[in-house]
Amino acid sequence: QLESMVAIAAVTGRTLVLPPPTKIYKVPYHEFNCYNAGDLAKAISISLSEQKRDAVTIAGPLYALELADLDSDRDWFFPVDAERVQHFECLFQQKWMRSLAAEAVLRGLQLNSILEEAALNNLHRLGLEPATFDALHISFSSSAGRRSSRKREILNKSSVLLRTLLQGPVLLVSSENITGLNLTSNVTLVRPRGAYDAASDLSREIMDMIMCAKARRFVGTREDTFSTGVNMLRAREKVLHKEVIAGKDYSIHEFTRSTERQPTRGQCWQRNTDFADLPK
């Protein structure tokens, strides 16, 4: 994940070399399609170029990385499989490192203002305003969750939980069949698809995340990339703009309320970003 690479660059003082554009959803994508290049350049040193042949390939999980053991005279190359599924707030044990990482991610990874404006326009088309609706993201990620019988069981149990959390209207973002979801009569489900003009699937997914981040309360699926991204956007809003979002956010694992404490070591993909390590 880009957040972890930004964090490592900030702590080591190294230049983050961003890869050439790739294709996501068959659409050319580069990090600057999503994030503001100027903000990132203020937070860390960045460069656009190809990987050097003599770079050291970093293997293994990022949370086990010992920076002091790496060759300081050579470039470091992080393959996609090494950097995936890693929360940046669980990378470092020393407080000063966590503080540098939190500051760089907070200030450097600011969303493209064009996407922000488009997401707000989409909310208006749906008749919604920021902080006046709840948002729900549902994903069946496990193989057990994909079985029809298991889906019905999960949806039945989740209906009871969600009826206590959600107040209408509710912006629902899901590619799943959730016909078994039974909410109260005062909850109106709103799907975002009707708000879009011509846009790529990738742009739609990013704008879906932004719209969910503008909700009064967000309920997402635990350890899901989309929900994790929404939680980080909401945490950033609270820190940068001091916005008070009514109610508590929830991450749910197969739609049962998680009561776990925030993990602090390991991959921590279920962690909700809070930027608690920012310099005081």
Side-chain angles (χ1 to χ4, degrees):
Q1 299 295 314
L2 181 59
E3 293 89 352
S4 293
M5 296 297 99
V6 170
I8 292 173
V11 167
T12 61
R14 287 190 161 226
T15 296
L16 176 61
V17 180
L18 296 172
T22 57
K23 283 195 174 182
I24 301 179
Y25 296 119
K26 300 181 180 180
V27 176
Y29 170 79
H30 193 272
E31 277 72 13
F32 295 148
N33 293 128
C34 184
Y35 297 106
N36 187 297
D39 289 324
L40 186 57
K42 291 176 184 177
I44 60 171
S45 173
I46 59 174
S47 176
L48 303 176
S49 65
E50 298 285 347
Q51 174 195 353
K52 293 186 178 180
R53 293 182 179 179
D54 62 344
V56 177
T57 298
I58 309 300
L62 291 184
Y63 66 84
L65 187 65
E66 293 291 344
L67 296 176
D69 294 338
L70 300 181
D71 190 338
S72 60
D73 295 325
R74 296 172 65 186
D75 291 340
W76 304 338
F77 172 64
F78 293 85
V80 173
D81 59 346
E83 66 189 66
R84 178 143 177 79
V85 192
Q86 173 63 55
H87 198 295
F88 77 93
E89 289 183 333
C90 295
L91 272 175
F92 309 111
Q93 291 184 300
Q94 296 187 51
K95 174 66 176 178
W96 71 269
M97 290 184 173
R98 296 199 304 272
S99 295
L100 281 178
E103 184 75 18
V105 172
L106 177 72
R107 306 291 178 184
L109 294 180
Q110 298 288 328
L111 285 173
N112 188 312
S113 59
I114 295 176
L115 291 174
E116 287 259 22
E117 184 177 348
L120 287 173
N121 288 336
N122 288 342
L123 284 178
H124 295 157
R125 291 192 186 101
L126 293 170
L128 302 174
E129 295 293 333
T132 64
F133 65 95
D134 290 347
L136 169 65
H137 177 250
I138 297 176
S139 174
F140 296 107
S141 56
S142 68
S143 57
R146 294 190 187 102
R147 294 199 298 265
S148 296
S149 60
R150 181 61 176 145
K151 282 184 180 181
R152 286 195 299 271
E153 178 186 350
I154 291 170
L155 289 172
N156 287 336
K157 289 181 178 179
S158 67
S159 295
V160 177
L161 167 68
L162 295 175
R163 280 199 294 268
T164 68
L165 297 180
L166 300 176
Q167 303 172 16
V170 174
L171 179 67
L172 172 66
V173 179
S174 177
S175 59
E176 310 286 356
N177 180 357
I178 48 90
T179 53
L181 190 64
N182 182 23
L183 301 178
T184 57
S185 58
N186 67 331
V187 171
T188 302
L189 292 179
V190 180
R191 288 185 178 269
R193 292 189 177 276
Y196 291 112
D197 295 328
S200 69
D201 289 341
L202 176 61
S203 295
R204 290 182 180 184
E205 182 157 340
I206 295 172
M207 285 187 281
D208 281 351
M209 291 176 62
I210 298 172
M211 287 192 288
C212 285
K214 300 295 183 182
R216 173 179 52 215
R217 181 185 292 104
F218 173 68
V219 180
T221 306
R222 183 165 162 254
E223 298 187 30
D224 173 79
T225 300
F226 182 96
S227 294
T228 300
V230 172
N231 283 326
M232 189 171 77
L233 291 178
R234 288 171 68 80
R236 178 180 283 116
E237 285 286 304
K238 292 175 184 178
V239 173
L240 289 179
H241 305 298
K242 309 298 182 185
E243 292 187 4
V244 178
I245 301 175
K248 181 181 178 181
D249 292 344
Y250 294 84
S251 287
I252 47 182
H253 180 49
E254 294 193 330
F255 314 118
T256 58
R257 181 173 173 179
S258 172
T259 56
E260 290 182 0
R261 301 178 69 178
Q262 285 270 60
T264 59
R265 192 64 178 155
Q267 291 178 313
C268 300
W269 200 233
Q270 71 273 34
R271 180 185 172 90
N272 285 347
T273 304
D274 55 20
F275 293 107
D277 292 310
L278 285 170
K280 304 301 182 183

